[in-house]
């Protein structure tokens, strides 16, 4: 579905967190709860496990994810002898997809308890009723290099004051070069700006999806990058105007 023109006011109200995070189930890891500021949602996001935090970082970096909500809804669960409210972990709105409701777990090898199976069944039924999709996911099973890159790039999502002054220049130059290392691109501006000053912008453009690289290799100054032309307005590119000497 196309959510690109949504102002999100209705969703912000409807899917606000239904409870505060806690570490009730974290007897041996009492400090894994926390929060961070979401550049995508423009508000703090709370998490109850390292797996949740990793997945929320991934949602921050996924350019097709337009909005996501943690602890978004209450799902009433009924068994023969009991009933209780269950709150799934996150609801994501992704361009071209139905809303995606997720439950985040640590290890797919752990056998589900009858209570967990019942929760999944009710969540899946509610998602079907609303026209959503429901999945149980295991972010901590992602390859180590990919998780490292997600954590690394998430730290460069925040805009710095000087970025707008250099954005078009940097995108234009990489467009002219077609591809090159982060180090090479930064050094190409050494006559006008300290390359160390420019590298955070290049990593920011990677984090925002304006530049592309192989995320299955460790991202560093030697990573080869290219322009993601699907994310760049044609009017910002002026290849013929680029003229520099290393």
């Amino acid at each position: 579905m196309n959510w690109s023109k949504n102002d999100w006011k209705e969703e912000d109200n409807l899917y606000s967190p239904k409870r505060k995070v806690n570490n009730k189930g974290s007897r041996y890891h009492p400090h894994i709860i926390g929060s961070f500021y979401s550049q995508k949602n423009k508000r703090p996001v709370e998490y109850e496990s390292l797996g949740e935090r990793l997945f929320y970082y991934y949602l921050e970096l996924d350019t097709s994810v337009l909005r996501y909500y943690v602890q978004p809804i209450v799902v009433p669960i009924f068994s023969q002898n009991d009933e209780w409210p269950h709150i799934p972990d996150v609801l994501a709105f992704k361009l071209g997809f139905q809303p995606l409701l997720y439950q985040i777990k640590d290890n797919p090898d752990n056998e589900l308890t009858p209570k967990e199976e019942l929760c999944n069944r009710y969540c899946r039924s509610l998602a079907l009723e609303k026209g959503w999709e429901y999945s149980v996911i295991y972010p901590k099973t992602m390859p180590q290099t990919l998780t490292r890159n997600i954590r690394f790039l998430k730290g460069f999502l925040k805009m710095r004051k000087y970025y707008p002054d250099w954005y078009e220049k940097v995108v234009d130059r990489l467009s002219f070069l077609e591809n090159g290392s982060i180090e090479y691109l930064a050094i190409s501006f050494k006559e006008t700006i300290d390359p160390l000053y420019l590298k955070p912008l290049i990593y920011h453009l990677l984090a925002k999806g304006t530049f592309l690289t192989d995320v299955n290799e460790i991202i560093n100054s030697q990573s080869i990058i290219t322009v993601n032309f699907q994310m760049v307005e044609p009017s910002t590119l002026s290849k013929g105007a680029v003229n520099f000497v290393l």
Side-chain angles (χ1 to χ4, degrees):
M1 298 182 68
N2 187 356
W3 308 98
S4 58
K5 296 183 179 179
N6 200 340
D7 65 10
W8 303 107
K9 291 181 180 179
E10 180 179 353
E11 289 81 4
D12 286 352
N13 181 61
L14 191 60
Y15 304 122
S16 60
K18 298 304 181 287
R19 67 177 175 84
K20 290 290 185 180
V21 302
N22 63 73
N23 53 9
K24 180 180 177 181
S26 303
R27 183 183 306 172
Y28 302 108
H29 303 281
H31 300 296
I32 58 176
I33 67 170
S35 66
F36 65 90
Y37 185 80
S38 166
Q39 300 296 325
K40 185 162 288 185
N41 295 332
K42 306 302 180 187
R43 65 182 64 188
V45 166
E46 296 182 321
Y47 56 86
E48 292 180 306
S49 70
L50 298 180
E52 286 186 17
R53 186 182 69 176
L54 177 61
F55 187 62
Y56 300 158
Y57 282 4
Y58 168 80
L59 295 177
E60 289 284 311
L61 293 166
D62 186 343
T63 56
S64 66
V65 172
L66 302 177
R67 204 79 160 186
Y68 66 94
Y69 299 93
V70 300
Q71 318 284 351
I73 59 171
V74 177
V75 181
I77 309 295
F78 301 92
S79 67
Q80 288 184 339
N81 304 315
D82 197 9
E83 62 180 81
W84 67 91
H86 173 68
I87 302 175
D89 291 313
V90 61
L91 176 66
F93 290 82
K94 189 171 182 177
L95 202 61
F97 290 83
Q98 300 287 52
L100 304 162
L101 185 64
Y102 293 104
Q103 189 71 47
I104 300 169
K105 296 293 184 181
D106 277 344
N107 191 340
D109 295 329
N110 292 342
E111 187 174 349
L112 293 178
T113 65
K115 184 175 181 179
E116 289 173 328
E117 290 180 346
L118 189 62
C119 288
N120 284 339
R121 189 162 74 244
Y122 271 90
C123 287
R124 195 169 287 110
S125 177
L126 182 140
L128 183 63
E129 179 184 320
K130 290 180 173 291
W132 299 352
E133 295 183 21
Y134 175 72
S135 295
V136 179
I137 58 170
Y138 306 89
K140 292 173 75 172
T141 63
M142 286 191 289
Q144 186 175 356
T145 296
L146 181 58
T147 60
R148 179 267 179 197
N149 289 338
I150 289 172
R151 291 194 296 265
F152 177 74
L153 287 179
K154 191 273 173 187
F156 291 96
L157 282 170
K158 185 177 180 180
M159 175 71 72
R160 298 189 183 185
K161 289 183 179 180
Y162 70 92
Y163 285 176
D165 296 335
W166 289 92
Y167 173 85
E168 289 190 15
K169 298 181 182 72
V170 173
V171 173
D172 272 358
R173 185 154 299 180
L174 185 57
S175 175
F176 175 80
L177 293 170
E178 295 186 356
N179 62 71
S181 71
I182 292 171
E183 183 77 21
Y184 186 88
L185 180 60
I187 289 176
S188 74
F189 288 91
K190 66 181 180 181
E191 299 301 327
T192 52
I193 186 174
D194 186 338
L196 293 177
Y197 197 63
L198 208 57
K199 283 184 181 180
L201 170 58
I202 298 173
Y203 287 124
H204 173 77
L205 292 171
L206 268 175
K208 298 293 288 185
T210 304
F211 290 168
L212 299 174
T213 193
D214 185 355
V215 296
N216 295 307
E217 299 289 338
I218 291 177
I219 295 174
N220 55 37
S221 62
Q222 299 307 313
S223 297
I224 302 300
I225 56 176
T226 60
V227 175
N228 180 4
F229 290 101
Q230 292 182 341
M231 295 287 292
V232 177
E233 294 291 336
S235 60
T236 66
L237 300 176
S238 53
K239 290 186 179 181
V242 177
N243 183 20
F244 63 94
V245 178
L246 289 178

